[in-house]
Amino acid sequence: MNFKKIAVNFILMLGTFILCLLLGELLFPFFLSKIPLKLHGYVDRGLLALVQSSKKSVIPKNYNAIFGDSYAAGLGEWLNKEREKNSYFNPDYGPAHILHNKLGKDVVSFGSGGTGSIEGLVSLPIAQLEAINSYLAFNLDKPKQILAFFFEGNDIEDNLRDLDRFFKPKYDMSKVYEKEYFQEFLKNEITKNHPLTEKTENATIYKNLIFSKFLGRGIKNLFSSILSEENSHVKKWIILTEKEKLYQLDLNNVKPDLLADRNKLINIALVDNKKWVFNNRNMGAQTHISGEKIRLGTYVFEQSLMFMHQYFSNSNINIVYLPSTLSSYRLLTAEESGLKKFGGIRTDYNLRLLTIRQRSEFICNQIERIAKKNKFGFLDAGKYIRRKTKTEILHGSIDQDHFNKKGYTVLSEAIIDTFYSNDEQVDRGRCEYAF
């Protein structure tokens, strides 16, 4: 056996492999925004903003940023369908893409599902920006304009949850309304303890090998998918959501099992003169939370907004108020839906609908007050949404807590009309609950 020949071949192979990795490291940063949607999960978490295709190049210029939760991230059935059909491309799927296409401006979303104001407006955007700039290959300026999304459906509840998670363990709740005290909490506890911030402070040579890490995660996932069994929880979730899919109500052909469980018939909306049944898990306008808790939740939003404003001091800030699913449609009373004739419906059926509307108006007015008090732009997207839901469904048939493609289009057009239009007749900054 010729060991010398084997050694030479091994060295040549190793050298070729290392050369390919080095070439990949040099070229990969220029092609981040071309990475297929299917492979986004293999990219460093701190670089996900650069992977987005809602900009002309990897590093956006004079860009607009969207801060907030899953709506800011563009989650929903539009994204789910793109994952199924176009996952080997980097397709459009949310408001950032629509705004980019219609305005011709670079738009980047820093949004993330499940976040409240503390994470969505403070820790995630700041940590992502600083993480990007900690890489040798990138230098990202702060955004020219910020669209701060506030979702009526769960942002207040998320803010209360985050107080329990981050504030209560180390800080005095009796001082929560002391603004300077709360700002210190955001500075010392939130911005300095985010996982991305910790990685930024501990930068190494390995950190900058973004192509090698991308490749490694892909190979690891490939072997994991081969060895792992099909996830039964995913299958059960699909079956559950299919059962709660949006459907049209036909009172002339009501199934007995449906009438036997009338609690499932509490969200009936009139769209295009047809009655549609939304599932009973849909988010309303925080009707289960007390007025004092709402005050606390909106206070957290305001303080997060002020911290964000201080950090992004040269960015123009506009607040976009998003209605909950149930506040987006004209919900029918027991009499209007025709259910009353069957009997057995909950006694507070109509009162609940009235509470949803009143709570939606109350929260919107609170957020509008914050915007005007601090001289930020304000858009109540609800009035634009409700005009369209007279004739069209703007949420997913299964994922009813997020917009579908048409819903995100209506939202984006409302943003353009309010903040980017020169039309002085545009009605700006006023909450309006009407159909």
Side-chain angles (χ1 to χ4, degrees), residues 63-73 108-112 115-117 119-122 124-126 128-129 142-143 145-150 155 301 304-305 308-309 311-312 315 317-318 320 322:
Y63 66 101
N64 294 253
I66 305 177
F67 293 177
D69 63 358
S70 52
Y71 274 89
V108 176
S109 170
F110 290 90
S112 180
T115 61
S117 303
E119 292 182 297
L121 302 184
V122 179
L124 270 174
I126 293 174
Q128 285 187 71
L129 183 68
K142 294 177 181 179
Q145 177 152 293
I146 295 172
L147 298 169
F149 281 15
F150 179 92
D155 271 12
F301 170 73
S304 300
L305 200 65
M308 179 192 81
H309 179 48
Y311 184 87
F312 297 98
S315 302
I317 298 173
N318 294 306
V320 179
L322 301 170

Side-chain angles (χ1 to χ4, degrees), residues 132-334:
I132 289 169
N133 289 330
S134 70
Y135 289 83
L136 296 175
F138 308 112
N139 182 26
L140 180 62
D141 294 330
K142 294 177 181 179
K144 182 179 180 180
Q145 177 152 293
I146 295 172
L147 298 169
F149 281 15
F150 179 92
F151 178 48
E152 173 190 287
N154 63 4
D155 271 12
I156 289 175
E157 191 168 10
D158 287 343
N159 289 348
L160 297 174
R161 175 206 64 195
D162 286 346
L163 283 179
D164 289 336
R165 290 171 61 198
F166 304 125
F167 190 90
K168 284 185 178 180
K170 296 181 180 180
Y171 292 80
D172 185 354
M173 275 300 293
S174 67
K175 296 182 179 180
V176 69
Y177 283 111
E178 294 181 16
K179 296 177 183 179
E180 291 184 4
Y181 187 74
F182 198 89
Q183 291 295 308
E184 282 297 312
F185 152 72
L186 292 176
K187 178 182 177 181
N188 297 323
E189 191 66 27
I190 300 303
T191 61
K192 292 182 179 180
N193 291 324
H194 194 277
L196 290 180
T197 304
E198 293 173 2
K199 291 179 181 180
T200 299
E201 293 174 349
N202 299 310
T204 61
I205 294 175
Y206 173 73
K207 173 190 174 71
N208 287 281
L209 300 178
I210 58 175
F211 175 71
S212 300
K213 289 185 288 181
F214 172 81
L215 195 62
R217 292 186 187 107
I219 294 172
K220 180 181 179 182
N221 184 73
L222 177 63
F223 281 103
S224 297
S225 62
I226 293 172
L227 297 174
S228 64
E229 297 180 2
E230 187 175 5
N231 193 328
S232 60
H233 295 292
V234 173
K235 292 179 67 176
K236 290 178 181 178
W237 175 252
I238 292 173
I239 294 171
L240 172 65
T241 51
E242 283 289 347
K243 285 183 177 180
E244 297 187 351
K245 191 173 182 178
L246 181 70
Y247 67 92
Q248 191 174 334
L249 180 65
D250 181 5
L251 290 177
N252 296 319
N253 188 28
V254 181
K255 296 179 181 179
D257 60 329
L258 192 61
L259 285 178
D261 189 4
R262 289 174 177 78
N263 285 330
K264 292 183 178 179
L265 296 172
I266 58 174
N267 300 319
I268 302 175
L270 186 68
V271 182
D272 195 25
N273 292 317
K274 300 180 182 67
K275 298 171 184 176
W276 292 89
V277 180
F278 286 80
N279 68 56
N280 61 352
R281 292 185 300 103
N282 268 297
M283 294 180 184
Q286 308 282 272
T287 54
H288 60 291
I289 297 176
S290 68
E292 178 56 35
K293 291 292 186 180
I294 289 178
R295 177 176 173 247
L296 180 57
T298 54
Y299 169 79
V300 172
F301 170 73
E302 181 177 15
Q303 291 305 306
S304 300
L305 200 65
M306 298 311 298
F307 190 95
M308 179 192 81
H309 179 48
Q310 184 178 17
Y311 184 87
F312 297 98
S313 57
N314 293 322
S315 302
N316 184 36
I317 298 173
N318 294 306
I319 300 172
V320 179
Y321 183 88
L322 301 170
S324 65
T325 304
L326 300 184
S327 300
S328 300
Y329 298 87
R330 186 193 161 203
L331 298 179
L332 299 177
T333 63

Side-chain angles (χ1 to χ4, degrees), residues 95-111:
H97 299 94
I98 299 173
L99 292 172
H100 169 63
N101 294 332
K102 288 182 175 291
L103 295 171
K105 299 176 182 289
D106 288 347
V107 183
V108 176
S109 170
F110 290 90

